[in-house]
Amino acid sequence: MAARNVTRYVLPRFASVFQRFNATTAPLIMKRRALYRPEHSRLFTTSPKSLEKETAYISFLDRDGDKITASVKVGASFLDAAIDNDVELEGACEGTLACSTCHLIFSKEDYEKIKDKPTDEELDMLDLAYGLTDTSRLGCQVIVTKEMDGLVVKVPSGVADARNPS
């Protein structure tokens, strides 16, 4: 009876885990009887609420002065947020900290909301950025947090690619 319940309720939900085990070893791995009962089969499912990521709304002022408001998942970088929402931000090195094309300018208040301070490597790249200010950061290095909801960030009017300083 227990083997039939394992086959019906547990194995389909964990097919990828059990692919390396045969029918003899699967019951040895799952020793607890409660896992074989149909009423406990939802124990292993995740609710849609736990799969939803928190979002923050970030506004980008692009090179033309247009305001683009984007819904950004918490944990994404500003570079990813800009690319996903069609903001003109190049990111030529794809976030490897090898250029300054994802240079962004924050207001003083918004700059202070950024928990992580710039590293020496980021500061070296920022020295090569176009229109550098005291509140400049590279978009690939700033991660969105829930506290940044409502933040407004400016994309500089020009780009200086550190990989090709011509």
Side-chain angles (χ1 to χ4, degrees), residues 2 9 16 20 25-26 28 34 37 44 67 70 73 93 101 108 120 126 145 156 158 162 165:
Y9 297 104
S16 63
R20 60 181 171 258
T25 59
L28 297 175
R37 295 188 192 138
F44 298 107
K67 188 175 186 178
K73 291 182 180 177
C93 71
T101 58
K108 187 71 172 166
D120 290 337
L126 278 171
T145 62

Side-chain angles (χ1 to χ4, degrees), residues 57-58 78 106-117 137 142-152:
Y57 291 94
I58 307 294
F78 272 76
F106 294 84
S107 69
K108 187 71 172 166
E109 299 81 30
D110 292 340
Y111 185 82
E112 292 171 1
K113 291 181 183 179
I114 303 171
K115 292 180 182 178
D116 298 328
K117 299 302 172 201
R137 289 292 302 267
V142 182
I143 305 300
V144 176
T145 62
K146 191 63 179 168
E147 293 78 29
M148 293 180 182
D149 192 31
L151 200 95
V152 177

Side-chain angles (χ1 to χ4, degrees), residues 2-152:
R4 193 172 97 218
N5 285 337
V6 168
T7 305
R8 183 185 297 160
Y9 297 104
V10 178
L11 289 180
R13 288 172 176 79
F14 294 99
S16 63
V17 174
F18 287 113
Q19 284 175 353
R20 60 181 171 258
F21 303 107
N22 60 32
T24 308
T25 59
L28 297 175
I29 295 167
M30 312 213 34
K31 291 183 179 180
R32 293 180 50 201
R33 289 281 301 169
L35 298 179
Y36 297 112
R37 295 188 192 138
E39 62 269 15
H40 294 289
S41 65
R42 287 197 45 88
L43 179 69
F44 298 107
T45 61
T46 56
S47 66
K49 190 163 187 88
S50 66
L51 297 176
E52 294 174 5
K53 282 215 163 214
E54 290 187 54
T55 59
Y57 291 94
I58 307 294
S59 295
F60 292 92
L61 293 176
D62 67 4
R63 292 182 172 98
D64 300 328
D66 298 330
K67 188 175 186 178
I68 301 169
T69 302
S71 175
V72 183
K73 291 182 180 177
V74 171
S77 70
F78 272 76
L79 175 61
D80 293 336
I83 291 170
D84 292 343
N85 292 282
D86 298 325
V87 176
E88 284 189 51
L89 193 64
E90 189 173 338
C93 71
E94 299 177 356
T96 59
L97 202 57
C99 72
S100 59
T101 58
C102 63
H103 170 223
L104 295 171
I105 301 171
F106 294 84
S107 69
K108 187 71 172 166
E109 299 81 30
D110 292 340
Y111 185 82
E112 292 171 1
K113 291 181 183 179
I114 303 171
K115 292 180 182 178
D116 298 328
K117 299 302 172 201
T119 61
D120 290 337
E121 293 84 6
E122 182 181 355
L123 292 173
D124 290 343
M125 278 294 125
L126 278 171
D127 287 338
L128 304 172
Y130 178 85
L132 183 66
T133 67
D134 290 338
T135 58
S136 292
R137 289 292 302 267
L138 294 180
C140 64
Q141 299 300 305
V142 182
I143 305 300
V144 176
T145 62
K146 191 63 179 168
E147 293 78 29
M148 293 180 182
D149 192 31
L151 200 95
V152 177

